[in-house]
Amino acid sequence: MAQARQVEAMTLRAVFPGTFDPIHFGHIDIARRGCALFDELVVAVYERPLKVSLFSPEERIELVRTAFADEASINVQGYSSLTVHFCESIGAKVMLRGLRVFSDFEHEFRMALTNRRLAPKIDTVSLITSEQHTFLHSTTVREVASMGGDVSSMVPEFVQEALGEKLSAHRDTGKDVYNSLRD
Ligand code: ADP
C-alpha cells in the first residue's frame, strides 16, 4: 500500500526591526512589501535605543500597531534584546531591512555580517526603498515637525497628531525641542 506523503506546512516568519521613532511612510512601504514575501511579518520595535527617543516604547509600539491594524499578517512586538536573539525566540528565519541610499549599505552590510556570525541560520533580506521615500528618515520627520513644518507627505495623519501633542508637551516644559531630538 502506497504511503501518503506528508508535506509539513511551514510558516515563513520574518522580523522587521527598528526604532520607529516615529513610524513613517518609508517603514510602512517596506513592511507592506515584506508581507507579500513572507507568511508572517513581525514588526519589532526596539525598546532601548542608544539615542534619545521622542516617543516612549509604548507610544512607538502603539503607533506601529495603528499603522498595520488592517494587515492580518503583520504583528507588532516590542523587544529589548539582541535582534537575532529576538528572532530566534519567535522562530523567525529572516530579518527584513530597508535600504534607502548608498550610504545605508555599509552599515547594513556590517550589521548583516555581524548578525550572521551570531546566528548563522537567520538571513537578512534587504528591500530597496521606493523612490519617493529615499530621503525619509525618522530624524527628518522629528526635525521638520519640531520646526513647525508640514510632515503630511511623510507620516500618516495619526502620527502627525501624536507628533503635535508630543512636541507641544515638550515646549511646555521649556526643552530645546530641536536639539534634544537629534540622533
Ligand atoms: P529611521 O532610519 O527612519 O530612523 P529605523 O532606524 O527605525 O528608522 O529603521 C528601521 C528599518 O527601516 C531599517 O531597516 C531602515 O533601513 C528602514 N527604513 C527607514 N527609513 C526607510 C525608508 N525611507 N525607506 C526604506 N526603508 C527605510
Side-chain angles (χ1 to χ4, degrees), residues 24-34 97-101 126-136:
H24 54 62
F25 288 136
H27 298 131
I28 293 172
D29 172 61
I30 295 291
R32 290 200 191 277
R33 286 162 56 201
R97 302 288 294 171
L99 282 177
R100 283 165 292 211
V101 284
S126 298
L127 295 183
I128 308 291
T129 189
S130 296
E131 259 178 313
Q132 69 272 30
H133 304 313
T134 313
F135 71 98
L136 204 43

Side-chain angles (χ1 to χ4, degrees), residues 49-100:
L50 291 175
K51 56 194 182 189
V52 179
S53 68
L54 173 60
F55 291 98
S56 68
E58 297 74 22
E59 290 167 333
R60 287 183 279 121
I61 291 169
E62 194 50 43
L63 291 173
V64 176
R65 287 214 167 108
T66 306
F68 301 118
D70 63 336
E71 204 65 73
S73 57
I74 293 187
N75 132 28
V76 181
Q77 292 185 40
Y79 76 106
S80 52
S81 57
L82 264 180
T83 306
V84 284
H85 289 168
F86 174 72
C87 292
E88 286 169 341
S89 75
I90 63 163
K93 293 199 172 64
V94 173
M95 199 185 297
L96 177 67
R97 302 288 294 171
L99 282 177
R100 283 165 292 211

